[in-house]
Amino acid sequence: MMKRNIYIDNMDVDLAKDTYFNKLNINPTFEYVKVENSIDRISFDMVEALMSSPNYNAAAMDGIAVVSAKTLNASEVNPVILEEKKDFYYINTGNVIKEPFDAVIMIEDCIELPDGKVQIIKSSYPWQHIRQIGEDIVKSEMIIPSNHKIRPIDIGALLSGGVESIKVFKKPKVGILPTGTEIVDDLKNLKMGNIIDSNSRVFQGEVLKLGGDPFRYSPIEDDYELLKTNILKMVRENDIMLINAGSSAGSKDYTVNIIKELGETIVHGIAMKPGKPTILGIIEGKPVIGLPGYPVSSYLVFEEFVKPLIHKFLGKKEKRENLIKATIAKRIVSSLKNRELIRVNLGEVGDKLIATPLSSGAGVTMSLVKADGIGIIPQNVEGAEAGEEIDVKLLKPLEEIKETVVSIGSHDLIMDILGDMTLLSSGHVGSMGGIMAMRRGECHIAPIHLLYEKTGEYNISYIKKYFKGKEMSLIKGVKRLQGFMIKKEDKELVKTFRDLLKEEISFVNRQRGAGTRVLLDYHLKLEGIDPQSINGYNRELNTHMAVASAVKDGKKTVGLGIYSAAKAMDLDFVEVTYEDYDFLVETSMLEDEKIKSFIRALSSKAFETRVLSLGGYKLIDAGEIIHIES
Amino acid sequence: MMKRNIYIDNMDVDLAKDTYFNKLNINPTFEYVKVENSIDRISFDMVEALMSSPNYNAAAMDGIAVVSAKTLNASEVNPVILEEKKDFYYINTGNVIKEPFDAVIMIEDCIELPDGKVQIIKSSYPWQHIRQIGEDIVKSEMIIPSNHKIRPIDIGALLSGGVESIKVFKKPKVGILPTGTEIVDDLKNLKMGNIIDSNSRVFQGEVLKLGGDPFRYSPIEDDYELLKTNILKMVRENDIMLINAGSSAGSKDYTVNIIKELGETIVHGIAMKPGKPTILGIIEGKPVIGLPGYPVSSYLVFEEFVKPLIHKFLGKKEKRENLIKATIAKRIVSSLKNRELIRVNLGEVGDKLIATPLSSGAGVTMSLVKADGIGIIPQNVEGAEAGEEIDVKLLKPLEEIKETVVSIGSHDLIMDILGDMTLLSSGHVGSMGGIMAMRRGECHIAPIHLLYEKTGEYNISYIKKYFKGKEMSLIKGVKRLQGFMIKKEDKELVKTFRDLLKEEISFVNRQRGAGTRVLLDYHLKLEGIDPQSINGYNRELNTHMAVASAVKDGKKTVGLGIYSAAKAMDLDFVEVTYEDYDFLVETSMLEDEKIKSFIRALSSKAFETRVLSLGGYKLIDAGEIIHIES
């Protein structure tokens, strides 16, 4: 039996932050940088002009400099003749106006005579067309306030104001240490059971973008003494130290004990999900944070604790997060004990902003990549019902979200191609899931491929059944080939549905409501096969590629799926049937700009070329509209 | 007589852009970068996963790996005993699940027996607590689309998907050449008539922030052959070449002729103000742009032409600018010939977003630093009347603008200090200007110091007169010392107002409506002095510091102003009087959060300390409120 850590705390997130930051008591420091290198740095003090700009009286026009008094009575009937050197001199914009000259006459208003003299027919007034000393910047005037992020235009003004270098907040040095014997630094060395270190690279990018100075160390294996020695050394080299992971309660999770030995842990375990196994520690007065290993958890813990910490070093006042309200598309269950953070896709459907939760595993990095926002279910609230409004922190500009077509339904590889060609957010819940999402008004389009058992026809019967009295249309998509996916060496094992009953075979199924599952059940019923007698019938995966991947790595494993997935995984393929993969849409939405642009992409030559190169598709009527009578 | 260029064009801005970009026909190129260094780069193609993640079946919990079939009937009454190595093995999260094991039981659900065996009282189902191959990322799935700006989280997903390096748009190399004999590279070498090169540093920062690769050359003097040789060399070293300035029609403006000689000019002169003298040229197939010399003009021309050009190199689709509507506070006169761009301050006053134009000189860099947005008066429109709505391009986040106190009125150095302590936008138009702005509903507060001739009392009489029937209040500010400013060597010249009549003296006045001008006129009237007999009475400057600066650099020059301005310029000062510098506000606004925060700053110890260190101020009742009966 092994020794494991036990979490002491389930501390409220805000309380944990306050407790920790109070204990840390960070005093930001400054440094001087040359103005030309100060872009994106934060001013430590207010910066005043050291010199006026212009710092001399300067011509504001091309022309001649004159003494205004000498031109006082000039008019068309009483022109004044001026002599060069004596009465005027030629100047260009920016040239010095020397005393006693006190006005500039534009070259357009000068009649240049053959003898070099100039004739004037309009009087000039004192300081006419002259940029007086300090017109732009007056010495000692404030150019930028303190705590101001320097923009390019500020650099221009600072230089014009005679400022060569300025005091800025010193960037905190942030050390990032990946730990774990299974962690590999280089994809080339990746073996079974290894994990490529990706979190530390995410932190590196985040620290950089926040204005900190990241330093990533090479991974260190799970060796208590080795870790201890190195962590102490690294703490001394940095202002903030991040350790990832070892913050959990596994037998090799040393981080908490090392921090305790070298310093103190202020918090271990926060009431946030994902993110619970977080350590907020202090060694030699410096913040040392242990972040959980799962990518999503570590990202959210970084956002919650490391980001405001870096802000403190940079003198940035913490402001309320800019949250927006969105209607949650499906029921979210959350424990009273935790603040729950849910990755969501957002889309403007009708006049509502709809938040659709993405798959919730803390390991699913792609859910963060695809997320438009993070939905927040507060602590002491037991989830949210579908249709309720929740707070969402945006990850993408709202404007972009509003231009995005929200698709929920069946999965197909062509959705990636369409997602590359248009703004498309694509949720994969199977065809029936898409129909239900459309009924609840959560999506603009629903990709479906549903075989109607009685007629053998695709999609239309289902729409008539589920959308009685509504004006619906079908945007025709592709014909795609479904069949058995199997490894090349196992290819003799499966030719028909009946072969799935063989004892040595492991089947990998799709989830309930998936069109491919409907297809399977249809054929099993036709042939009178009991589904439960198929080994693996209950193992459900959500996408064709996931099934293909399981087939590839399993022993005598078979799945039903599309040709392109089998091809991508270099599997053998036994044809079953071509089916119609189409897009359900409300007829009224066909006039919407985003849907029009989606249809344009679907009908384009570029799309056809890319889809046909996948293999297993036919394009006959892509982009055509069928209005459904219901 | 000198040879000058003549503008050929006054071309519509959009037409100029289209013509130029069509002629250029830019084909972006790509390069490969390591994923860990790809932050903020733009993907050239869609990127697919090269490997699944996890790429093996992995434990999702700490616990034991079992064969699910062996636990099928486990229950409290019928516990199942499992033997290590034979029936189970211990695992931590992330460990490999080896066949035939197909489920994980959490350590919390295991009863560990003294003999090393484990007792189970709940059955497990196949794939329970196992992250199946491809659960996060499936090989060949799209991770990011093309034309996507890489975020830290994308880097994590790309690495997890086995991607080591990706194809990104190559950054365009942008050469930046400052030209002009008067241009100096280093503040230390600045002499009278020289200008410090600041535009090129602004361009450098802008190019960097847009994702380009800037290279700034040292300034080159106005020497035709030298410029020509160097420009050709530089064009060959870069993808885009910016030349600043020499684009105008002055006698030393060589840029257009050099571009014509080395290549061709597509446009010279655009219908935009500021920004008219712009050259859009091509040399050896590459874009060469001549930008005007004034900082504001060059910035706006950069925004209009260089920014979209860099976007083209980076594959970024040009979108409609995100414009908002704002009510213009005062009449703008604009020529039908040009698109007019006006720097504005924005503030939410009542339920309107009010745009107040900042001083309009193209040389006034500070107007850009202070601007919240750029107002646009389209070509073929003859200006805008006060109260009309215009389009504004935001330079700051709207949220920040809404939290900003808009102050319009008299100028004082304490406004810089308050601007450093709170979000404050401060326009200087004199006390009467402030009163008028308040009447038009353009500002939240108006700093005023208006002497009422009949009573010798400050401010209150004016408020009663101009705000009949309105609930107004006065936030008490500071008592400040006014007096004559004069150079130390001239200190014997002026002791009284009557001394201003001396012939050798040049006076520098403040603009009409300024409280200091009212003070002057009050004293002149008291002593029966004719203002027009004072030499320089009509020379008007807008701030105390501008007057102090003019005194500093003039010959026997005198101004009336505040002590702190004289001190900042190291001038002698002859005391005249202490006056009340207060803030006018609508009574209803006293409950507003931003105004409360302004009053807090005004009453703070920190403010008092900073103001007293300037000298010439007394703080007696700063932050107190006087309700005005009217």
Side-chain angles (χ1 to χ4, degrees):
Chain A
M1 205 181 145
M2 292 169 295
K3 214 185 126 201
R4 288 170 183 274
N5 293 312
I6 294 154
Y7 304 126
I8 300 159
D9 308 319
N10 185 58
M11 201 186 270
D12 172 86
V13 178
D14 296 322
L15 178 63
K17 211 181 316 187
D18 286 349
T19 309
Y20 188 48
F21 287 179
N22 282 337
K23 193 96 182 182
L24 277 170
N25 187 26
I26 285 154
N27 283 312
T29 52
F30 63 85
E31 63 182 341
Y32 284 91
V33 293
K34 292 197 80 168
V35 164
E36 63 233 49
N37 303 327
S38 67
I39 191 145
D40 284 345
R41 300 299 295 267
I42 318 286
S43 56
F44 195 85
D45 290 328
M46 144 177 151
V47 184
E48 295 170 8
L50 300 177
M51 158 181 123
S52 292
S53 170
N55 63 344
Y56 57 91
N57 292 320
M61 292 283 177
D62 295 334
I64 60 170
V66 298
V67 176
S68 59
K70 290 193 186 170
T71 69
L72 264 187
N73 302 312
S75 68
E76 297 227 17
V77 292
N78 182 29
V80 171
I81 309 280
L82 301 173
E83 202 175 310
E84 195 173 353
K85 301 258 160 70
K86 184 167 153 274
D87 300 321
F88 77 89
Y89 59 99
Y90 280 105
I91 42 154
N92 278 326
T93 304
N95 289 163
V96 182
I97 304 297
K98 299 172 201 137
E99 297 213 28
F101 296 93
D102 69 348
V104 168
I105 297 172
M106 286 194 288
I107 197 71
E108 295 90 317
D109 295 336
C110 300
I111 300 152
E112 295 172 290
L113 305 175
D115 57 359
K117 292 182 180 164
V118 160
Q119 178 178 306
I120 298 300
I121 55 168
K122 227 171 82 184
S123 70
S124 59
Y125 54 88
W127 307 100
Q128 163 181 297
H129 301 321
I130 290 178
R131 295 186 66 214
Q132 295 190 52
I133 294 173
E135 182 178 304
D136 184 359
I137 303 173
V138 179
K139 187 182 161 183
S140 95
E141 142 178 45
M142 175 177 82
I143 300 179
I144 51 166
S146 53
N147 296 83
H148 174 81
K149 190 171 181 180
I150 316 276
R151 303 167 297 171
I153 190 67
D154 299 322
I155 292 180
L158 287 163
L159 289 171
S160 299
V163 182
E164 270 186 295
S165 70
I166 56 167
K167 228 164 145 178
V168 294
F169 282 88
K170 210 170 165 192
K171 295 181 176 192
K173 285 188 186 171
V174 183
I176 302 163
L177 174 64
T179 73
T181 307
E182 76 283 13
I183 297 295
V184 181
D185 212 6
D186 192 332
L187 276 165
K188 291 183 188 69
N189 303 327
L190 199 66
K191 291 189 197 72
M192 172 76 88
N194 288 160
I195 294 170
I196 182 79
D197 167 48
S198 64
N199 289 346
S200 73
R201 303 291 186 183
V202 177
F203 298 157
Q204 215 178 358
E206 292 286 350
V207 170
L208 208 61
K209 289 198 74 83
L210 289 169
D213 184 9
F215 187 87
R216 177 188 168 275
Y217 295 92
S218 294
I220 294 184
E221 65 200 89
D222 293 320
D223 175 324
Y224 192 91
E225 285 307 319
L226 189 66
L227 280 168
K228 197 179 101 183
T229 315
N230 276 283
I231 287 173
L232 184 61
K233 187 175 141 280
M234 291 166 185
V235 166
R236 289 176 177 167
E237 288 168 354
N238 292 283
D239 300 306
I240 300 173
M241 190 64 212
L242 308 181
I243 303 170
N244 184 237
S247 66
S248 190
S251 57
K252 295 284 180 65
D253 290 328
Y254 296 143
T255 309
V256 72
N257 290 329
I258 291 173
I259 296 177
K260 274 184 184 150
E261 207 185 319
L262 296 174
E264 57 176 327
T265 59
I266 310 303
V267 178
H268 184 205
I270 50 163
M272 181 171 111
K273 200 181 152 215
K276 185 175 174 57
T278 294
I279 308 165
L280 305 177
I282 301 180
I283 297 175
E284 301 193 345
K286 290 177 181 172
V288 179
I289 297 184
L291 299 98
Y294 274 137
V296 176
S297 315
S298 77
Y299 176 87
L300 294 172
V301 168
F302 185 98
E303 283 286 302
E304 203 63 58
F305 296 100
V306 185
K307 188 172 164 182
L309 189 58
I310 292 175
H311 282 170
K312 277 205 180 295
F313 274 90
L314 293 172
K316 194 167 169 182
K317 274 174 211 133
E318 217 47 39
K319 293 210 290 188
R320 272 174 297 103
E321 289 266 32
N322 197 9
L323 302 175
I324 59 159
K325 296 271 179 202
T327 304
I328 192 89
K330 59 184 179 199
R331 189 163 172 249
I332 295 287
V333 182
S334 163
S335 156
L336 288 172
K337 273 168 59 188
N338 302 316
R339 174 184 300 182
E340 184 108 16
L341 302 176
I342 312 140
R343 286 132 283 161
V344 296
N345 268 146
L346 295 168
E348 198 179 39
V349 187
D351 55 354
K352 276 188 187 165
L353 194 65
I354 302 289
T356 309
L358 286 152
S359 112
S360 63
V364 184
T365 323
M366 280 309 289
S367 66
L368 263 179
V369 170
K370 287 184 177 170
D372 300 313
I374 305 286
I376 301 165
I377 310 289
Q379 200 174 346
N380 301 322
V381 171
E382 212 167 0
E385 294 299 323
E388 242 178 73
E389 277 201 336
I390 61 164
D391 283 328
V392 175
K393 191 179 134 189
L394 286 181
L395 296 178
K396 289 180 186 163
L398 191 57
E399 203 195 331
E400 185 183 319
I401 288 167
K402 289 187 175 176
E403 289 173 10
T404 299
V405 172
V406 180
S407 163
I408 300 182
S410 167
H411 169 255
D412 190 276
L413 274 76
I414 69 161
M415 296 309 284
D416 279 353
I417 297 177
L418 288 165
D420 188 40
M421 298 175 75
T422 61
L423 278 176
L424 179 68
S425 139
S426 177
H428 307 140
V429 297
S431 294
M432 278 310 298
I435 283 188
M436 292 307 150
M438 180 63 82
R439 275 168 62 112
R440 291 191 300 268
E442 291 168 25
C443 58
H444 302 120
I445 58 170
I448 55 174
H449 59 115
L450 285 164
L451 177 64
Y452 191 55
E453 292 188 14
K454 287 183 190 154
T455 59
E457 158 228 54
Y458 270 89
N459 298 332
I460 291 174
S461 306
Y462 283 84
I463 301 173
K464 285 186 176 165
K465 179 172 170 194
Y466 287 101
F467 297 89
K468 279 218 174 69
K470 280 214 161 185
E471 294 274 333
M472 303 304 289
S473 293
L474 202 59
I475 305 168
K476 291 303 286 176
V478 297
K479 316 274 171 211
R480 65 179 196 178
L481 190 54
Q482 288 267 21
F484 296 115
M485 304 192 275
I486 189 158
K487 265 188 291 194
K488 294 208 163 139
E489 66 256 38
D490 301 330
K491 61 187 280 192
E492 296 308 317
L493 279 177
V494 175
K495 299 288 174 207
T496 67
F497 283 93
R498 193 149 293 279
D499 290 334
L500 298 179
L501 291 167
K502 290 179 182 170
E503 205 169 302
E504 69 267 39
I505 282 179
S506 293
F507 188 69
V508 198
N509 208 350
R510 290 291 305 283
Q511 81 280 19
R512 251 157 286 213
T516 304
R517 172 93 165 229
V518 172
L519 182 69
L520 172 75
D521 291 347
Y522 171 72
H523 282 278
L524 295 182
K525 200 171 168 191
L526 272 186
E527 309 211 8
I529 300 169
D530 171 19
Q532 291 305 331
S533 55
I534 296 173
N535 185 17
Y537 181 84
N538 295 324
R539 182 180 176 193
E540 298 180 351
L541 292 174
N542 284 329
T543 67
H544 294 279
M545 284 305 297
V547 170
S549 176
V551 169
K552 181 80 180 175
D553 289 283
K555 210 183 261 178
K556 295 189 181 167
T557 306
V558 179
L560 185 63
I562 56 177
Y563 173 82
S564 52
K567 189 183 158 204
M569 282 290 168
D570 198 26
L571 296 172
D572 215 65
F573 187 80
V574 182
E575 289 190 23
V576 171
T577 186
Y578 272 96
E579 58 174 19
D580 289 12
Y581 182 89
D582 303 322
F583 302 93
L584 173 62
V585 65
E586 276 184 32
T587 304
S588 62
M589 280 301 286
L590 291 170
E591 288 310 304
D592 187 277
E593 264 319 309
K594 356 182 224 307
I595 299 297
K596 281 187 186 172
S597 137
F598 175 81
I599 295 172
R600 267 197 302 277
L602 192 62
S603 333
S604 70
K605 189 72 200 162
F607 175 71
E608 187 180 353
T609 310
R610 287 175 74 170
V611 170
L612 293 182
S613 78
L614 293 174
Y617 290 95
K618 288 187 211 165
L619 272 84
I620 295 166
D621 47 9
E624 279 181 25
I625 311 292
I626 296 177
H627 296 283
I628 313 289
E629 313 265 327
S630 68
Chain B
M1 205 182 142
M2 293 171 295
K3 213 185 127 202
R4 286 170 185 275
N5 293 312
I6 295 153
Y7 305 127
I8 299 158
D9 309 319
N10 185 57
M11 202 187 270
D12 171 85
V13 178
D14 296 322
L15 178 62
K17 210 182 316 186
D18 286 349
T19 309
Y20 188 48
F21 287 179
N22 282 337
K23 194 96 181 183
L24 277 170
N25 187 27
I26 285 153
N27 282 311
T29 53
F30 64 85
E31 62 181 341
Y32 284 92
V33 293
K34 291 196 82 171
V35 164
E36 64 234 47
N37 303 326
S38 67
I39 191 144
D40 284 344
R41 300 300 295 267
I42 317 286
S43 57
F44 195 84
D45 289 329
M46 144 178 151
V47 184
E48 294 170 9
L50 299 177
M51 157 181 123
S52 292
S53 170
N55 62 344
Y56 56 90
N57 292 319
M61 291 285 177
D62 295 335
I64 61 170
V66 299
V67 176
S68 60
K70 289 192 187 171
T71 69
L72 264 187
N73 302 311
S75 67
E76 297 228 15
V77 292
N78 181 30
V80 170
I81 309 279
L82 300 173
E83 199 175 313
E84 196 172 353
K85 302 259 159 69
K86 185 167 152 274
D87 299 321
F88 78 89
Y89 60 98
Y90 281 103
I91 43 155
N92 278 326
T93 304
N95 288 163
V96 182
I97 304 296
K98 298 170 201 138
E99 298 214 26
F101 297 92
D102 68 347
V104 168
I105 297 172
M106 286 193 288
I107 197 71
E108 295 90 317
D109 294 337
C110 298
I111 301 152
E112 294 172 290
L113 304 176
D115 59 358
K117 290 182 181 167
V118 160
Q119 178 180 304
I120 299 300
I121 55 167
K122 229 172 81 184
S123 70
S124 60
Y125 54 88
W127 306 102
Q128 163 180 298
H129 300 322
I130 290 178
R131 296 185 65 214
Q132 295 189 53
I133 294 173
E135 182 178 304
D136 185 359
I137 303 173
V138 180
K139 186 181 161 182
S140 96
E141 140 178 47
M142 175 176 82
I143 301 178
I144 51 166
S146 52
N147 297 83
H148 174 81
K149 191 172 181 180
I150 316 277
R151 303 166 298 172
I153 190 66
D154 299 322
I155 291 179
L158 288 164
L159 289 171
S160 299
V163 182
E164 272 186 294
S165 70
I166 57 167
K167 229 164 144 177
V168 295
F169 282 88
K170 208 168 166 194
K171 295 182 177 190
K173 286 188 186 170
V174 183
I176 302 162
L177 175 65
T179 72
T181 307
E182 75 283 13
I183 296 296
V184 180
D185 212 5
D186 193 334
L187 276 165
K188 292 185 187 68
N189 302 328
L190 199 67
K191 290 189 197 74
M192 172 75 88
N194 287 160
I195 295 170
I196 182 78
D197 167 48
S198 64
N199 290 345
S200 73
R201 303 290 186 182
V202 177
F203 298 157
Q204 215 178 358
E206 291 286 350
V207 170
L208 208 61
K209 289 199 74 82
L210 289 170
D213 184 9
F215 188 88
R216 177 188 169 276
Y217 295 91
S218 294
I220 293 183
E221 65 199 271
D222 293 321
D223 174 324
Y224 191 92
E225 285 306 320
L226 189 66
L227 279 168
K228 197 179 102 183
T229 315
N230 276 283
I231 287 173
L232 184 61
K233 186 175 140 281
M234 290 165 185
V235 166
R236 289 175 178 166
E237 288 167 354
N238 292 283
D239 299 307
I240 299 172
M241 191 63 214
L242 307 181
I243 303 169
N244 184 236
S247 65
S248 192
S251 57
K252 294 284 179 66
D253 290 328
Y254 296 143
T255 309
V256 73
N257 290 330
I258 291 173
I259 297 178
K260 274 185 185 152
E261 206 186 320
L262 296 173
E264 57 176 327
T265 59
I266 310 302
V267 178
H268 185 205
I270 51 163
M272 182 172 112
K273 200 181 155 214
K276 185 177 173 58
T278 295
I279 307 166
L280 306 177
I282 301 179
I283 297 176
E284 300 194 346
K286 291 177 180 173
V288 180
I289 298 184
L291 298 98
Y294 275 137
V296 177
S297 315
S298 78
Y299 176 87
L300 295 172
V301 169
F302 186 98
E303 283 287 304
E304 203 63 60
F305 296 100
V306 185
K307 188 174 166 183
L309 189 57
I310 292 175
H311 282 169
K312 277 205 179 293
F313 274 91
L314 293 171
K316 193 167 170 183
K317 275 174 210 135
E318 216 48 38
K319 292 209 292 187
R320 273 174 297 104
E321 289 265 33
N322 197 8
L323 301 175
I324 59 159
K325 295 272 178 201
T327 304
I328 193 90
K330 59 184 181 200
R331 188 162 172 251
I332 295 287
V333 182
S334 163
S335 154
L336 288 173
K337 272 168 60 188
N338 302 316
R339 174 183 302 182
E340 184 107 16
L341 303 176
I342 313 139
R343 286 132 284 161
V344 296
N345 269 147
L346 295 168
E348 199 179 38
V349 187
D351 57 352
K352 276 187 189 168
L353 194 65
I354 302 288
T356 309
L358 286 151
S359 112
S360 64
V364 184
T365 323
M366 281 309 288
S367 66
L368 263 180
V369 170
K370 288 185 176 170
D372 300 312
I374 305 287
I376 302 165
I377 310 288
Q379 198 174 348
N380 300 321
V381 171
E382 211 166 359
E385 294 300 323
E388 241 178 75
E389 276 201 336
I390 62 163
D391 282 327
V392 175
K393 191 180 133 190
L394 286 181
L395 296 178
K396 288 179 188 163
L398 191 57
E399 204 194 331
E400 184 184 319
I401 288 167
K402 288 187 175 178
E403 288 173 11
T404 299
V405 172
V406 180
S407 163
I408 301 181
S410 166
H411 170 256
D412 189 276
L413 273 77
I414 70 160
M415 296 309 285
D416 279 353
I417 297 177
L418 288 165
D420 188 39
M421 297 175 75
T422 61
L423 278 175
L424 179 69
S425 139
S426 178
H428 308 141
V429 297
S431 294
M432 278 310 298
I435 283 188
M436 293 307 151
M438 180 63 83
R439 276 168 62 113
R440 290 191 302 266
E442 290 167 24
C443 58
H444 301 121
I445 58 170
I448 55 174
H449 59 113
L450 285 164
L451 176 65
Y452 192 54
E453 292 188 13
K454 288 182 189 154
T455 59
E457 157 228 52
Y458 270 90
N459 299 330
I460 292 174
S461 306
Y462 283 85
I463 301 174
K464 286 186 175 165
K465 178 171 169 195
Y466 285 102
F467 296 89
K468 279 217 175 70
K470 280 213 162 185
E471 294 275 335
M472 303 304 289
S473 293
L474 202 59
I475 305 168
K476 291 303 287 177
V478 297
K479 316 272 172 214
R480 64 178 196 180
L481 189 54
Q482 289 264 22
F484 296 115
M485 303 191 276
I486 189 157
K487 265 188 291 195
K488 294 209 162 137
E489 67 256 39
D490 300 332
K491 61 187 281 191
E492 297 308 318
L493 278 176
V494 175
K495 298 288 175 205
T496 68
F497 283 94
R498 192 148 295 277
D499 290 334
L500 298 180
L501 292 167
K502 290 180 180 170
E503 204 169 302
E504 68 266 40
I505 282 179
S506 293
F507 188 70
V508 197
N509 208 349
R510 290 290 306 281
Q511 81 279 18
R512 251 156 285 214
T516 304
R517 171 94 165 227
V518 172
L519 182 69
L520 172 75
D521 291 346
Y522 171 72
H523 282 277
L524 296 182
K525 199 171 168 190
L526 271 186
E527 309 211 8
I529 299 169
D530 170 20
Q532 291 305 330
S533 56
I534 296 174
N535 185 17
Y537 180 84
N538 295 324
R539 182 180 176 192
E540 299 179 352
L541 291 174
N542 284 330
T543 67
H544 294 280
M545 283 305 297
V547 170
S549 176
V551 169
K552 181 78 179 175
D553 290 284
K555 212 184 259 178
K556 297 190 180 167
T557 305
V558 180
L560 185 64
I562 56 178
Y563 173 81
S564 52
K567 189 182 157 204
M569 282 290 170
D570 198 28
L571 296 173
D572 216 64
F573 186 79
V574 182
E575 289 190 22
V576 169
T577 186
Y578 272 96
E579 59 175 16
D580 290 13
Y581 182 87
D582 303 323
F583 302 94
L584 173 62
V585 64
E586 276 184 33
T587 304
S588 62
M589 280 302 285
L590 291 170
E591 288 311 302
D592 187 277
E593 263 320 310
K594 357 181 224 306
I595 298 297
K596 281 187 184 170
S597 138
F598 175 81
I599 294 173
R600 267 196 302 277
L602 192 61
S603 334
S604 70
K605 189 73 201 159
F607 174 71
E608 187 180 352
T609 310
R610 287 175 75 170
V611 169
L612 293 182
S613 78
L614 293 174
Y617 290 95
K618 287 189 213 163
L619 272 85
I620 295 166
D621 47 9
E624 280 181 25
I625 310 293
I626 297 176
H627 295 283
I628 312 288
E629 314 263 327
S630 68

